[in-house]
Amino acid sequence: MSFTRVSKEAEDVLMEILEHEHDSDYWKMRFDKLSDRDDIVLRGCFKELRENGLINVEYADNYPYLITILKDGYLYEKYLEEEKNAELTPFERELNELLKRAKNIKAPINTAPPNMSKDEYNKPSEIWMNDVQIFYNNYLKDHALGDRIKTLLFHRALGAYGDLVAALTSVSNDRKFIDKINGAQEVLVPKYQAKAIPDYDVFISHANRDKEELVEDLYKSLDKLGIQIFYDKESIEWGDNWKDKILNGVKKAEFAIIVISENFFGREWTEKELKELLSRQNRNGQKLILPILKNITMEQLQQKYPSMADIQAIDSKNYSTDEIALMFAKQLIKRLKTE
């Protein structure tokens, strides 16, 4: 998907929605306190967020009583950060990353804490300083603080870590030096390319006979959350080569939900899809397949497909399709936040 930034006012409202996601009374109280003008502005922000696929809103008595945060709403800050990073040079990205990491690293100590050796405790800061050494060698030898940083890295006294953080912070505020570095890199360094976003969040593999009882409702539940779905009924258009289209969906989805029933067994294309998905999962070493059992047992699944014996499945009779969709959304958000 292409990232579309909303207005600053709408961004602030989205952050407010995320903060109060589980407070059902918050927005009624919030609207009750507004002037007529502010009420119009806030409703405009809700409209903007909805139109950009970040939230869904249902109203009662002219108040938003049910706000559903969609996938892109949860990931908006991540997309925003990626957009900002895409505009940075390698020097700026590496510097920002070092300073960001430093916020979560404890300064080294001389005395070991309980239940941990001193070396183990100090290891994160030591690794960080090793990375600063590389950064210094690449960029900072000519900086006004270059000699100071070199000395700190050479001796690595107890206070060196904090002094290095302070030095890098000063470098990050040295616009003249940054501009000089960036100017030298414009020709030499290729521009940043963001990680490709999958064409689909999920591919639904199923037997046609299971559409009416389960798959159709599952598609609708996923679609309500703004999830990008490859579902043959919706994704294959008039005149498409359906075989190529399906194989493309198998290859370009982040996950695959496989609805497995007795109808699934022995069908040419369900078997082909499963084979391709298993091959891709084994090749990439990353979770891909999310099985749903429909009127079969785990023993039947393992007997028919031994290669799926170790893949955790869920039983459709234990969950509604809305619950399954929310479970999937959590998996997807977790995946995308770590990439």
Side-chain angles (χ1 to χ4, degrees):
M1 60 154 287
S2 59
F3 172 64
T4 301
R5 187 169 183 178
V6 297
S7 66
K8 181 63 170 66
E9 293 79 7
E11 283 182 357
D12 291 341
V13 172
L14 177 60
M15 297 305 108
E16 198 173 350
I17 290 171
L18 288 165
E19 182 181 354
H20 298 280
E21 180 179 3
H22 303 295
D23 187 348
S24 57
D25 297 324
Y26 175 81
W27 288 103
K28 185 179 187 306
M29 293 187 291
R30 176 86 156 78
F31 273 92
D32 282 341
K33 297 176 182 178
L34 296 177
S35 65
D36 289 344
R37 180 185 178 281
D38 289 340
D39 183 281
I40 292 171
V41 171
L42 186 54
R43 290 180 190 277
C45 290
F46 271 86
K47 182 174 184 290
E48 183 179 354
L49 293 172
R50 187 182 69 248
E51 290 176 347
N52 281 277
L54 303 176
I55 63 170
N56 279 333
V57 189
E58 295 183 32
Y59 289 87
D61 297 328
N62 210 26
Y63 294 109
Y65 83 95
L66 180 60
I67 303 172
T68 303
I69 305 170
L70 303 181
K71 180 196 71 173
D72 289 339
Y74 283 114
L75 295 172
Y76 184 85
E77 286 185 285
K78 178 178 183 290
Y79 293 147
L80 188 60
E81 183 177 354
E82 287 177 350
E83 184 182 69
K84 291 177 180 177
N85 284 339
E87 297 171 356
L88 299 177
T89 62
F91 169 80
E92 291 172 298
R93 282 200 306 279
E94 290 176 38
L95 178 57
N96 288 351
E97 180 62 25
L98 285 169
L99 290 171
K100 183 178 178 180
R101 284 170 54 196
K103 293 178 181 178
N104 299 313
I105 296 175
K106 296 177 181 178
I109 57 175
N110 269 334
T111 305
N115 303 319
M116 184 182 292
S117 70
K118 183 180 74 171
D119 289 344
E120 185 180 1
Y121 183 93
N122 291 340
K123 186 175 181 179
S125 59
E126 187 67 24
I127 292 172
W128 183 85
M129 285 191 279
N130 289 341
D131 290 338
V132 173
Q133 179 75 64
I134 295 170
F135 185 74
Y136 164 81
N137 291 338
N138 289 338
Y139 300 110
L140 299 182
K141 291 181 179 180
D142 295 331
H143 191 271
L145 292 173
D147 289 342
R148 169 69 172 157
I149 293 171
K150 180 180 179 181
T151 300
L152 290 169
L153 288 168
F154 180 78
H155 293 289
R156 300 205 182 187
L158 193 60
Y161 173 78
D163 291 340
L164 284 169
V165 173
L168 291 186
T169 302
S170 295
V171 172
S172 72
N173 294 321
D174 188 346
R175 194 68 247 174
K176 185 176 180 180
F177 180 78
I178 292 173
D179 289 342
K180 177 183 175 183
I181 289 289
N182 290 344
Q185 290 183 340
E186 283 179 357
V187 176
L188 299 176
V189 180
K191 290 186 177 180
Y192 169 79
Q193 291 185 342
K195 181 183 181 295
I197 297 174
D199 289 3
Y200 307 100
D201 297 322
V202 64
F203 178 96
I204 303 179
S205 179
H206 63 287
N208 282 329
R209 291 181 182 178
D210 292 323
K211 271 185 166 63
E212 187 174 340
E213 285 189 13
L214 175 61
V215 179
E216 191 72 23
D217 288 341
L218 177 59
Y219 167 78
K220 292 175 182 177
S221 295
L222 291 164
D223 188 55
K224 282 191 299 186
L225 298 180
I227 291 166
Q228 303 298 311
I229 311 156
F230 185 98
Y231 176 41
D232 55 5
K233 182 178 175 181
E234 300 293 334
S235 303
I236 300 176
E237 299 179 351
W238 190 10
D240 284 344
N241 183 317
W242 64 269
K243 293 182 180 180
D244 289 346
K245 197 82 172 180
I246 287 174
L247 290 176
N248 184 65
V250 167
K251 293 175 182 176
K252 295 189 175 181
E254 188 73 30
F255 288 97
I257 292 176
I258 306 181
V259 178
I260 305 177
S261 68
E262 290 186 350
N263 297 322
F264 189 94
F265 296 156
R267 297 289 188 276
E268 178 186 358
W269 269 91
T270 55
E271 298 273 350
K272 187 174 182 64
E273 289 167 9
L274 179 59
K275 181 180 178 181
E276 292 288 336
L277 290 165
L278 283 168
S279 174
R280 184 180 154 201
Q281 178 165 287
N282 292 335
R283 188 168 61 248
N284 296 343
Q286 187 177 45
K287 183 195 294 187
L288 169 65
I289 295 171
L290 304 172
I292 300 176
L293 306 185
K294 179 177 178 291
N295 299 329
I296 64 167
T297 65
M298 194 65 195
E299 289 73 22
Q300 286 176 283
L301 174 68
Q302 293 169 352
Q303 183 177 3
K304 180 66 178 177
Y305 304 119
S307 56
M308 294 188 66
D310 297 327
I311 301 176
Q312 182 65 42
I314 62 172
D315 195 318
S316 64
K317 68 174 179 288
N318 295 331
Y319 304 93
S320 69
T321 56
D322 283 346
E323 288 173 328
I324 294 173
L326 286 172
M327 290 166 64
F328 173 76
K330 290 177 182 178
Q331 292 267 350
L332 180 64
I333 290 164
K334 183 179 178 181
R335 167 72 56 82
L336 295 179
K337 280 186 173 180
T338 59
E339 292 183 346

